Amino acid sequence: MKAGSKFLNAVSAIALSASVVSSGAGVVVLSSAMAAQAATIQRIEVRGAQRTGEEAVRSNITIRPGQNFSNADIDDSVKRLYATGFFSDVRISVSGGTLVVNVSENQLVNQVVFNGNRKIKDDKLQLAVQTQALGPYSESLVTSDIARIKEAYKSIGRSDIEVTTQVVPVGEGRVNLAFVINEGDRTKIDKINFVGNNAYGDGRLAAVLSTKKSNMLSFLTRKDVYNEDKLRADEDALRQFYYNHGYADFRIVSSDVQLSDADNAYTVTITVEEGERYNYGAINVESTVEGVNAEELKGLVETKDGDVYKAKDVQKSMEAISRRVSGAGYPFARIVPRGDRNFQNNTINVTYLVDQGERAYVERIEVRGNTRTRDYVIRREFDISEGDAFNQEVISRAKRRLEALGYFGSVNITTSPGSSSDRVVVVVEVEDQPTGSFGIGAGYSAGGDGLLLEASVEEKNFLGRGQYIRVAAGGGLDDSQSYNLSFTEPYFLGYRLAAGFDLYKSKTGSNDNYDYDEQGVTLRVTAPITDDLATTFRYNYKEMTYSGDTGELSAPFVDLVNGSPWTSSSVSQTLTYNTLDDRVLAREGIYATLTHEFAGLGGDSDFYKIYGKAKYVQLLSDEADIIGSVSASAGYVTPTSGNLKPYDQFTIGGKEIRGFESNGIGPRMPNGDALGGTTYFTASAEATFPVPGVPQDFNLRGAVFADAGTLYGNDVANSAGVQGDELTMRSSVGAGLIWISPFGPLRFDYAFPIAKEDFDKVQNFRFSMASQF
């Protein structure tokens, strides 16, 4: 570069003084400034390009024989040659009618290796660096590669890394390059402090953040890795938390991060200003769009006078109004909420203004940051595509859908100007996160059946296609076995239809009098009705085999053994209503299902069943994070022809009423065979709370609960002497521990029956991977 600059200065001096410049054996005479800006050459001579080749050099300079060139062309040519990375020195001079290009070639990299790396494999580091085998060796490039390696380690929580290099010549202008890495210790997060918070304690706010303090399981969760982008996302999560709990004036004053070199640990301090808590005041809808009746839209508003202000309810109201107005033929209508604070009584009056927005269309949707999830999996969550009218509420709904998938650690949607004033580019930035999990469930029966275990592996985003797959296997000391395979395609045939199947096979040896084998398949399709309501259609087929010593069996089961195998073919339809605010730890909302099933499409079963369950969740104490829930379930089955078979009747137990075995209550034959019943109902109340003395972001919660219910009725032939077919209530109380672990929610319950029958089977302790419904 210096040689090129000297030449340019020399040419400038020639132009100004009309002097003579000698270069090699030739002489160039430039008589004026005009000549200096319009020089020409007849040929280009390249010197020193032994490996690169003369043509490669000529292709990277802008000067051509017979064409005028200027100082700027020479400077640009020098820069372009240096930019190739192949040269350590470039000099351009003019000798007579010849442009002489002298280059000194960089050495070539024969091999790039990494030494000392254990936490990041070679293949990932190779993608991070730009120096590659058979490419030029450049000290500036190596320096930037060292910075990239350090950044890669910093992203996994190792800011203490040191990187040096070793360069070994191997002859013929080639070198081997080794990056020598000292990974150091993990950089931890020692403290997360909050300043200015009065309404909520530090533990409650820490639970909102995705960044966590280092603990004994941080090596699994990696949630103690500091990242600036992650901290910005945490700040936004904190804002949303306060906005959804009435604090409309909340703001983050500052976020300070300090790294202690002595401890190799970060201290994060977030200073907040909470402001006052508001309730909703008067709620109104106004419209300036001709043909849109504001009064008809009031029923769509979810914000109610007197309720605690929640930003998410305002957003949902805007989306509901937008859908209605857009569907009525006004795609460019804009919904603007206007808040009027009353500082005297801490209320916010909200007016939703329906206005005619600017005409804008989606030029394209750009997806960025997805390293695993396919683009189409993200794009299909949008109700608009390229060319459609731009609607901000549709964009907000798509963002909420993407976050609900559970595939991404963060979702950010922005817009940028398109190619014209009425075109908008929608930019979707996501960060993939692990979506696979391993689960284990266990139970112990006090009735002598022993330990029961189940292990499962599931993937919510199979091969990045958004498909769900689960494989499970279980068994017990009593020779019981179970195998399950489930698969779901969430967008069947390109429509918002979740289609899938379940295959299963089980063998039960827990009954003293008989063994029971079952295998079957379920085909299902789920279609959304609204954002909260969906319907599922199923076809169910199963085959059952009973075996045992008929001398030990009661009459209904003797019939089953003699007639094995038995088949059942049925169709069912389920309505599901779900407004829970979180899949793992819901703090408010309703989850309810109602199913009716008809059997008789061939097979040995003929019946009609209807059954359902519902759960209501509510935050009892915002400050203490105490969550309450009540749930209920019920079912009834009646034969459509003849009598029911034992396997057609309902069986319930420890999943519904803790403290009892599976199939532990209800009608039972004198020899202990569980017959099942035609009617059941259950109820449960529960409260969960953070375990005192344990950091709240460790996600360990205690639970107290009470369950009650019954199973009664019988319509099975040859079941004389059955006991427990009358309506008799059972109930239990208990306590549990819930841990939202890196492996999924783990739950440990101990329940004690306070009302039971003598023939019921008790199971006090239960361990499972999912919270009780």
Side-chain angles (χ1 to χ4, degrees), residues 96-410:
T98 301
L99 186 75
V100 181
V101 183
N102 281 281
V103 296
S104 297
E105 293 180 314
N106 276 322
Q107 299 180 95
L108 287 181
V109 177
N110 182 65
Q111 187 179 13
V112 178
V113 297
F114 303 92
N115 296 328
N117 55 308
R118 297 187 306 276
K119 301 301 181 181
I120 301 180
K121 301 301 181 184
D122 287 6
D123 55 345
K124 292 186 177 180
L125 289 177
Q126 193 66 67
L127 293 174
V129 302
Q130 292 186 346
T131 302
Q132 302 292 327
L134 303 182
Y137 174 80
S138 167
E139 290 188 2
S140 61
L141 193 60
V142 170
T143 300
S144 64
D145 284 342
I146 291 174
R148 292 185 182 93
I149 292 174
K150 288 183 175 181
E151 194 63 34
Y153 271 91
K154 186 177 179 181
S155 70
I156 64 169
R158 290 184 176 268
S159 300
D160 201 27
I161 180 178
E162 294 180 357
V163 183
T164 58
T165 60
Q166 292 179 347
V167 181
V168 180
V170 293
E172 298 182 357
R174 295 172 181 263
V175 296
N176 285 341
L177 172 65
F179 291 96
V180 182
I181 300 170
N182 180 357
E183 294 180 323
D185 295 327
R186 290 190 69 241
T187 306
K188 301 179 180 180
I189 296 181
D190 184 47
K191 296 178 182 178
I192 299 179
N193 301 319
F194 296 91
V195 178
N197 53 309
N198 298 309
Y200 301 99
D202 287 6
R204 181 70 183 97
L205 297 184
V208 175
L209 308 183
S210 60
T211 302
K212 305 295 184 185
K213 286 174 53 179
S214 299
N215 57 52
M216 66 182 69
L217 292 175
S218 293
F219 74 98
L220 288 174
T221 64
R222 300 294 184 184
K223 291 185 177 180
D224 65 336
V225 175
Y226 169 72
N227 180 281
E228 289 186 11
D229 293 336
K230 191 176 177 183
L231 182 60
R232 300 287 87 77
D234 281 337
E235 290 177 355
D236 187 61
L238 207 57
R239 292 187 190 94
Q240 294 306 315
F241 172 79
Y242 270 96
Y243 292 162
N244 289 325
H245 287 79
Y247 295 88
D249 295 331
F250 171 83
R251 71 185 187 94
I252 294 177
V253 178
S254 65
S255 295
D256 180 63
V257 181
Q258 298 292 331
L259 176 62
S260 169
D261 293 330
D263 300 330
N264 191 29
Y266 287 104
T267 296
V268 180
T269 303
I270 302 176
T271 303
V272 304
E273 186 177 296
E274 293 178 326
E276 298 295 328
R277 193 182 194 193
Y278 292 90
N279 291 338
Y280 287 115
I283 306 296
N284 293 295
V285 179
E286 298 179 359
S287 173
T288 62
V289 179
E290 186 177 352
V292 175
N293 189 327
E295 290 298 320
E296 295 178 356
L297 300 176
K298 286 186 176 181
L300 302 174
V301 174
E302 296 192 20
T303 50
K304 306 297 181 185
D305 185 0
D307 289 351
V308 174
Y309 171 84
K310 295 180 180 180
K312 64 182 180 181
D313 289 341
V314 175
Q315 183 62 46
K316 288 182 179 180
S317 299
M318 293 167 59
E319 291 175 10
I321 295 172
S322 177
R323 284 198 299 269
R324 177 69 62 84
V325 173
S326 179
Y330 303 91
F332 297 104
R334 179 178 55 188
I335 318 302
V336 180
R338 187 173 62 230
D340 181 18
R341 288 169 172 76
N342 186 324
F343 298 104
Q344 306 302 319
N345 57 13
N346 288 343
T347 60
I348 300 179
N349 300 327
V350 180
T351 299
Y352 297 94
L353 177 62
V354 182
D355 196 4
Q356 185 64 55
E358 296 181 358
R359 290 182 175 270
Y361 299 88
V362 177
E363 181 170 303
R364 66 181 182 276
I365 299 176
E366 291 186 3
V367 179
R368 302 173 182 172
N370 52 317
T371 57
R372 181 168 179 266
T373 304
R374 312 291 179 95
D375 276 16
Y376 69 82
V377 173
I378 299 170
R379 292 176 182 275
R380 68 191 183 190
E381 296 302 328
F382 287 80
D383 291 330
I384 58 175
S385 57
E386 283 84 351
D388 291 344
F390 176 79
N391 187 305
Q392 183 59 51
E393 309 317 316
V394 174
I395 300 299
S396 299
R397 186 162 66 250
K399 182 176 187 292
R400 200 164 61 246
R401 286 176 177 169
L402 288 170
E403 291 171 336
L405 291 176
Y407 304 164
F408 310 109
S410 63

Side-chain angles (χ1 to χ4, degrees), residues 48-71:
Q50 297 176 357
R51 291 191 306 272
T52 311
E54 295 183 7
E55 287 305 316
V57 173
R58 289 189 177 95
S59 65
N60 279 284
I61 62 177
T62 61
I63 301 169
R64 297 290 179 265
Q67 296 181 358
N68 292 335
F69 69 93
S70 65
N71 298 343

Side-chain angles (χ1 to χ4, degrees), residues 16 263 362 375 398 400 414 447 559 580 587 601 652 701 742:
L16 292 173
D263 300 330
V362 177
D375 276 16
R400 200 164 61 246
T414 58
D559 294 341
L580 296 180
R587 289 183 169 85
L601 306 176
I652 65 172
R701 301 181 66 85

Side-chain angles (χ1 to χ4, degrees), residues 575-580 582-584 586 589-594 611-617 629-634 653-658 680 682-686 688 705-708 738 747 749 766 768-773:
L575 285 172
T576 303
Y577 180 74
N578 185 4
T579 62
L580 296 180
D582 190 88
R583 291 184 175 186
V584 178
I590 297 172
Y591 182 88
T593 66
L594 178 64
Y611 53 96
K613 53 187 177 182
K615 183 176 185 178
Y616 173 72
V617 182
S629 66
V630 292
S631 60
S633 65
K655 288 184 178 180
E656 296 80 14
I657 308 173
R658 285 161 284 195
Y680 77 91
T682 69
S684 179
E686 180 173 276
T688 71
F705 56 82
D707 298 336
I738 305 167
R747 178 156 187 152
D749 286 321
R766 192 175 190 90
S768 64
M769 276 293 293
S771 57
Q772 177 73 18
F773 182 77

